[in-house]
Amino acid sequence: MGQRMFEYDERLAKDVFAYCLERLTHPVPLDYGSLSPEPLPSLEGFITDDGVDPKFVLDFFSDKIAQHVVSCDSPGFLAFIPNAPTKNSLLFDMVVACSGLNGTSWLEAAGAVALENHALEFLGGLAGMPDGAGGTFVSGGSMGNLSALTVGRDVGRTKRPEFAPHQVRFAISQDAHSSIGKALHVLGIEPLVVECDDHRLTRARLEAAMANDPLADSVIGVVATAGTTNAGIVDDLEGLGSFARENDLWFHVDGAYGAAALFSPTHRHLFEGIRHADSFIVDPHKWLYAPLDCCALLYREPGLARHILSQQASYLDVLHENDSEDHYDWNPSDFAIHLSRRARGLAFWYSLVTNGVRAYEESVQATIDIANRASVIIDEMDHVELVRPQSLSIVLYRRIGWGHEQYSEWSKQLLRDQIAFVTPTKWEGETVARLAFLHPDTSEALVREILNSMRD
Ligand SMILES: *Cc1c(COP(=O)(O)O)cnc(C)c1O
């Protein structure tokens, strides 16, 4: 009887495809996440010896569960960093899902890996990294940062044998993403946290911090942020990168959110310093319009990463049979802290190839432009004001006279009313409102509606 579960069920396939088609062709509803007016249904009795009718369960998902998930690809999702996958990327992710792909090694998945590498090579080129740069796609920026900093740490340790292994440090900005601090915690090393002017790490600030630090020689690398998550601020990549080069430090650029603006004709110059990077990440699942979960991780010298991160086991030896000094098979598993993996870069590759670079440029630019419009509208209204000038596609503003409670209540009500999903943040200790634009279809009318909902 167990065989039944491997049989193709044509009716079920039609029902599932019909559901997917509905999602792809209708405007994306915002839905409620945990703020749904309906309680989450009980799942008691769902796991049974003989299985439950699949159509019943599909309907259960669509009628009773889906509304408890905020759709991050709705143009009204302006919290955290949204995700707005292109229709092509979603469709191709279904192809990947149905292809039974394991994107771990060249041996198993050369074709898929070649497509992923094609996308990585394009991103590396866009960022000005040299020929030969490469890496893999990992689950997200957090895993990308951890993998890259592991390589940077190990390379740095060999250059500073006078320090105990746990004494080497990375210089980071006070505004580095939380995943950087977490990665260093996992790696068992400390940061040198550099204070910055207006939250932007510059070469001058880094030099001053190192000059004042009695253990400055223990710094083996610098982490720069190409677009902070909270405010969209791009560090002085050129200055930090050249400083790292001159001092033989590992240079990691975390562009998880912001480096997508490499596609923006008006903003790409901010990212020129990535050409100095030893490692660099950008999340296609953020502002490059690919589905979750997908982070592009690139190394200037992938061989270093491979040396440090490759997993060794007798059952894996076959993956390395063709390797020699000057050639090795490209196993994605060698370039990050992972082994088995889905070929998660393919949906991005397909979207980029089928939509073309110009469409990406226009979408990223349209997003920056709507953020710009929002800033102008905020300036014009009396009850709100900008906290700081807009950076990339992030706008921080305050509702004059409000405290934390009011922002929090307002945010929940906005979602309950199905207008938009906007969550407050903190800026220099103060609770403020934050709009993170990503969907090029977010309209000026919606921005006005959000701002008007903050009147009394
Ligand atoms: C989002 C983000 C991360 C973490 O990426 P995940 O994909 O959420 O793991 C790291 N750094 C920056 C700058 C980010 O914006």
Side-chain angles (χ1 to χ4, degrees):
M1 282 312 279
Q3 279 308 96
R4 195 167 49 105
M5 70 179 185
F6 298 100
E7 271 167 23
Y8 173 67
D9 176 343
E10 186 167 358
R11 269 197 39 213
L12 176 62
K14 285 200 171 122
D15 292 337
V16 168
F17 291 141
Y19 177 78
C20 295
L21 209 57
E22 159 97 20
R23 289 286 306 193
L24 288 166
T25 49
H26 288 70
V28 176
L30 189 55
D31 288 323
Y32 296 92
S34 65
L35 294 181
S36 171
E38 302 290 325
L40 262 171
S42 163
L43 301 176
E44 200 162 322
F46 261 71
I47 299 179
T48 63
D49 283 347
D50 298 320
V52 178
D53 175 54
K55 175 71 162 91
F56 173 83
V57 182
L58 180 65
D59 290 345
F60 173 79
F61 176 79
S62 114
D63 300 342
K64 301 271 195 272
I65 298 293
Q67 62 163 306
H68 294 272
V69 180
V70 182
S71 308
C72 41
D73 52 345
S74 158
F77 191 122
L78 300 165
F80 314 118
I81 298 287
N83 162 251
T86 61
K87 304 298 179 191
N88 290 11
S89 73
L90 291 173
L91 284 165
F92 204 72
D93 224 19
M94 289 171 63
V95 172
V96 174
C98 291
S99 299
L101 269 175
N102 183 337
T104 302
S105 71
W106 186 256
L107 178 66
E108 285 169 289
V113 176
L115 303 185
E116 288 192 307
N117 286 351
H118 186 207
L120 289 170
E121 205 179 304
F122 176 81
L123 290 174
L126 195 64
M129 291 182 87
D131 287 350
T136 183
F137 288 97
V138 294
S139 59
S142 305
M143 185 46 77
N145 284 333
L146 176 61
S147 299
L149 295 183
T150 305
V151 178
R153 180 200 63 176
D154 285 14
V155 168
R157 278 176 175 169
T158 62
K159 290 181 183 165
R160 300 281 198 290
E162 68 276 25
F163 287 96
H166 67 275
Q167 283 178 323
V168 299
R169 293 183 297 168
F170 276 95
I172 72 172
S173 148
Q174 74 200 56
D175 284 67
H177 188 263
S178 54
S179 61
I180 297 289
K182 195 58 80 180
L184 297 182
H185 175 72
V186 173
L187 293 173
I189 59 174
E190 300 284 327
L192 166 61
V193 180
V194 183
E195 304 274 320
C196 316
D197 305 311
D198 192 30
H199 307 262
R200 179 170 184 262
L201 183 58
T202 59
R203 175 171 179 147
R205 276 293 180 168
L206 174 63
E207 277 178 326
M210 298 218 3
N212 286 329
D213 189 285
L215 281 174
D217 283 350
S218 66
V219 172
I220 46 100
V222 179
V223 177
T225 310
T228 57
T229 322
N230 205 23
I233 296 166
V234 182
D235 286 343
D236 168 22
L237 302 178
E238 185 59 44
L240 298 169
S242 54
F243 179 81
R245 283 273 141 266
E246 288 159 27
N247 293 281
D248 198 19
L249 304 174
W250 187 272
F251 185 46
H252 176 66
V253 179
D254 175 2
Y257 149 68
L262 278 162
F263 281 94
S264 156
T266 57
H267 284 67
R268 64 171 52 118
H269 65 276
L270 296 174
F271 302 93
E272 277 167 15
I274 299 177
R275 71 181 199 279
H276 299 295
D278 294 292
S279 52
F280 161 59
I281 66 157
V282 57
D283 277 356
H285 74 209
K286 286 182 173 170
W287 199 3
L288 292 179
Y289 305 115
L292 292 156
D293 48 6
C294 186
C295 164
L297 162 63
L298 284 127
Y299 302 94
R300 177 182 213 84
E301 288 181 55
L304 291 174
R306 180 175 167 271
H307 192 64
I308 291 161
L309 297 176
S310 172
Q311 298 195 30
Q312 308 295 331
S314 28
Y315 81 100
L316 297 174
D317 283 350
V318 63
L319 302 185
H320 300 285
E321 250 166 26
N322 296 326
D323 297 358
S324 64
E325 271 303 299
D326 48 10
H327 167 87
Y328 51 85
D329 283 344
W330 200 276
N331 299 310
S333 59
D334 289 342
F335 300 102
I337 303 168
H338 60 194
L339 187 59
S340 305
R341 63 182 286 278
R342 59 191 300 266
R344 56 168 64 81
L346 290 192
F348 169 61
W349 175 82
Y350 188 75
S351 182
L352 181 64
V353 167
T354 56
N355 288 300
V357 174
R358 192 171 314 129
Y360 266 81
E361 288 176 348
E362 286 168 3
S363 298
V364 168
Q365 196 60 45
T367 314
I368 294 177
D369 292 347
I370 175 73
N372 220 327
R373 273 305 296 156
S375 304
V376 172
I377 295 169
I378 288 166
D379 260 345
E380 287 166 2
M381 290 182 164
D382 288 338
H383 65 300
V384 287
E385 66 184 7
L386 290 173
V387 170
R388 62 183 310 288
Q390 158 214 357
S391 291
L392 300 181
S393 66
I394 297 185
V395 179
L396 296 178
Y397 68 100
R398 69 172 60 82
R399 161 63 166 85
I400 295 162
W402 273 13
H404 182 81
E405 280 307 307
Q406 282 142 309
Y407 284 104
S408 171
E409 268 316 304
W410 161 78
S411 163
K412 288 180 194 151
Q413 196 55 44
L414 203 62
L415 185 63
R416 286 196 199 102
D417 293 342
Q418 292 290 284
I419 296 171
F421 187 40
V422 180
T423 47
T425 186
K426 283 239 161 57
W427 187 254
E428 298 180 348
E430 175 193 359
T431 301
V432 299
R434 172 176 174 276
L435 301 172
F437 292 93
L438 197 142
H439 204 305
D441 291 345
T442 304
S443 66
E444 191 177 317
L446 179 62
V447 171
R448 285 184 187 280
E449 194 178 357
I450 292 167
L451 295 170
N452 282 329
S453 73
M454 299 178 105
R455 294 182 194 274
D456 289 322

